[in-house]
Amino acid sequence: MSDFTYLEELAGQIKANRKYLAQIEDELKIVNMKLHEIPLKKPTESAFAKMIGTEYDDQQANLEKTKANLEAKKEELSTSIKADTAKFINDMTSPELVIPLDPKPVFKDGRVMYQYKNQTKFHNLFDFLSELLGLSAPLVVKDVLLSSTEVIVKVSNEYEAKQKFISSMNEIQKTLTIKKK
């Protein structure tokens, strides 16, 4: 069984890993640049060090070791992000998905509004879901606005609101299932 709370945590983890991956890639660019410069500078730097009576500090071995470590971290993070994304899509498309909506809606201005239980917010989940679907948050699917704080259905009848909500979730799940392939 999957639920929004778990998916919120998973989306947050993906977001954090992506940020860390970007940092690793930036560090790797700097290390690669330094490694590229060493052969160009080495003759001058070593001759200068010899002239002034100091030992030349050859950083090549350290930089290559750092590069190997960064590449290993990059690969590990990339693999983790792919696996977590697949898990997110799989759980989001599960027929066992539990969406913690308060069963008692609020009726306002010809709309039915559902809050999440305990006023829970799902910012990471909806940011990531929007990205996967190629849409902007909040999501609007078949007269249903799905956001990180509430669900609003543009009808005044509770039964019809439930039908539209189910239909919009099915549409989202179908779209994600296509992405899974």
Side-chain angles (χ1 to χ4, degrees):
M1 181 180 80
S2 180
D3 66 9
F4 266 33
T5 303
Y6 171 73
L7 290 172
E8 172 72 9
E9 291 170 15
L10 187 59
Q13 182 177 323
I14 292 167
K15 196 177 191 180
N17 282 345
R18 283 179 168 178
K19 186 176 179 180
Y20 187 42
L21 179 61
Q23 290 172 341
I24 296 292
E25 288 172 339
D26 288 344
E27 288 178 41
L28 197 51
K29 284 179 191 173
I30 292 167
V31 168
N32 282 330
M33 182 184 69
K34 287 180 180 179
L35 278 170
H36 177 74
E37 289 176 346
I38 285 177
L40 305 172
K41 291 182 174 182
K42 188 173 186 172
T44 303
E45 294 291 339
S46 63
F48 182 75
K50 185 178 180 182
M51 269 185 186
I52 64 170
T54 63
E55 196 172 311
Y56 172 64
D57 184 20
D58 189 356
Q59 290 291 315
Q60 188 161 355
N62 287 339
L63 288 171
E64 286 174 357
K65 185 177 177 183
T66 301
K67 178 181 176 176
N69 288 339
L70 289 171
E71 286 175 338
K73 283 182 189 176
K74 179 181 172 183
E75 182 62 33
E76 181 184 319
L77 282 170
S78 295
T79 301
S80 177
I81 291 167
K82 285 177 188 168
D84 289 345
T85 299
K87 175 81 172 129
F88 181 93
I89 292 171
N90 196 47
D91 286 7
M92 191 71 195
T93 58
S94 169
E96 306 297 317
L97 177 66
V98 175
I99 303 168
L101 289 178
D102 190 335
K104 296 184 186 343
V106 174
F107 299 91
K108 184 177 178 186
D109 300 328
R111 297 180 298 182
V112 179
M113 300 165 56
Y114 291 94
Q115 297 291 319
Y116 295 107
K117 290 179 183 174
N118 303 321
Q119 302 296 313
T120 308
K121 293 176 175 52
F122 299 101
H123 296 293
N124 292 325
L125 185 153
F126 278 94
D127 286 348
F128 191 58
L129 183 58
S130 297
E131 180 187 320
L132 288 173
L133 295 172
L135 301 170
S136 59
L139 298 173
V140 179
V141 181
K142 295 187 172 191
D143 293 331
V144 178
L145 181 137
L146 299 135
S147 75
S148 59
T149 57
E150 63 189 352
V151 173
I152 300 172
V153 187
K154 293 180 182 177
V155 294
S156 56
N157 175 309
E158 184 178 355
Y159 180 74
E160 193 177 345
K162 289 176 182 177
Q163 286 178 316
K164 285 193 176 270
F165 175 71
I166 291 168
S167 176
S168 69
M169 286 306 299
N170 286 338
E171 192 68 30
I172 287 169
Q173 288 178 321
K174 280 185 213 170
T175 305
L176 286 175
T177 300
I178 292 168
K179 297 248 183 211
K180 198 176 1 180
K181 294 177 181 174

